[in-house]
């Protein structure tokens, strides 16, 4: 599937995006392919699937929640900016803090945000346990097991909530999550991304929510 065909699927799923947002999504292709020629931000075997496997997957967070304007979201282990950059495009009135312990990947995320003119993105080259900010939600894409994520981020959550769900963790994950969710089985919510996204890639992809207030 070509990048243009992948983009068409994205716009079909999110018809509310305006012209500026479409331009920003379209610009991701050149930005990430250029960076990927210098730094292995995305697997070089997978860069052709940028929109399907990375951008659209990042937007799978919306299967669980659409963030309210004025919310603050921290992307833990953002790498080159996923899921934070696509979400920041989709939610321009939400503040996103992108955090990673690998400096060169943080520089990519900041460069992409700057190139797109995203005023709602800040980045930090720091270990998440050292970050001293308060947020409504932590988002992440397959960075670590849920128990470890809870331990390292519990200090980040604001007591005040602004959204339809209480403040907490929203994680994009794949495969069987039963083992890592056992300790939180009475609180955790897991939603399949397929057929919300109809491509076969998403058949084993899930989005997980755990309240932390």
């Amino acid at each position: 599937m070509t990048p243009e065909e992948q983009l068409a699927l994205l716009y079909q799923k999110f018809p509310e995006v305006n012209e500026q947002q479409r331009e920003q999504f379209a610009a991701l292709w050149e930005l990430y392919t250029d960076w990927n020629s210098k730094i292995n931000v995305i697997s070089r075997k997978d860069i052709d699937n940028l929109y399907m496997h990375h951008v659209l997957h990042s937007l799978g967070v919306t299967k669980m929640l659409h963030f309210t304007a004025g919310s603050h979201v921290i992307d833990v282990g953002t790498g080159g900016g996923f899921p934070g950059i696509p979400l920041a495009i989709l939610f321009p009135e939400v503040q996103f803090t992108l955090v990673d312990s690998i400096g060169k990947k943080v520089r990519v995320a900041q460069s992409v945000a700057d190139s797109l003119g995203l005023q709602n993105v800040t980045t930090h080259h720091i270990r998440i346990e050292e970050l001293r900010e308060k947020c409504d939600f932590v988002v992440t894409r397959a960075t670590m097991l849920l128990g470890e994520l809870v331990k390292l981020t519990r200090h980040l959550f604001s007591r005040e909530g602004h959204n339809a769900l209480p403040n907490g963790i929203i994680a994009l994950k794949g495969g069987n999550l039963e083992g890592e969710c056992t300790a939180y089985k009475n609180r955790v919510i897991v939603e399949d991304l397929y057929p919300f996204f109809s491509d076969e890639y998403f058949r084993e992809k899930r989005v997980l929510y755990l309240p932390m207030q």
Side-chain angles (χ1 to χ4, degrees), residues 151-185:
K151 179 181 177 181
L152 294 179
T153 64
R154 63 171 68 252
H155 67 287
L156 298 174
F157 295 95
S158 172
R159 292 187 178 182
E160 286 189 24
H162 307 92
N163 289 268
L165 293 174
N167 297 353
I169 293 169
I170 301 178
L172 294 161
K173 288 179 169 284
N176 189 337
L177 304 180
E178 186 174 347
E180 65 179 291
C181 290
T182 299
Y184 310 99
K185 62 182 179 180

Side-chain angles (χ1 to χ4, degrees), residues 20-132:
Q20 181 183 20
Q21 290 168 310
R22 285 176 177 246
E23 290 175 0
Q24 290 170 326
F25 279 123
L28 291 176
W29 174 256
E30 184 174 346
L31 290 169
Y32 277 108
T33 53
D34 179 58
W35 270 111
N36 224 49
S37 68
K38 308 167 188 173
I39 299 173
N40 192 22
V41 181
I42 295 168
S43 167
R44 290 190 168 89
K45 295 180 180 179
D46 205 32
I47 189 66
D48 289 343
N49 297 308
L50 172 69
Y51 288 110
M52 186 69 73
H53 293 183
H54 301 279
V55 178
L56 197 58
H57 187 207
S58 295
L59 300 181
V61 167
T62 63
K63 178 70 162 63
M64 193 65 69
L65 179 69
H66 281 69
F67 300 115
T68 301
S71 299
H72 182 197
V73 177
I74 297 177
D75 176 3
V76 175
T78 190
F82 300 103
I85 293 290
L87 288 171
I89 295 173
L90 191 64
F91 297 105
E93 296 182 351
V94 174
Q95 182 63 42
F96 289 86
T97 299
L98 279 52
V99 180
D100 204 283
S101 61
I102 301 175
K104 63 182 180 180
K105 292 189 175 182
V106 172
R107 289 194 294 274
V108 173
Q110 185 63 63
S111 176
V112 171
D114 291 343
S115 297
L116 296 175
L118 294 176
Q119 300 297 312
N120 60 331
V121 170
T122 58
T123 62
H124 292 289
H125 173 208
I126 192 174
R127 297 179 65 84
I128 190 59
E129 58 267 35
E130 298 169 354
L131 186 67
R132 294 294 177 261

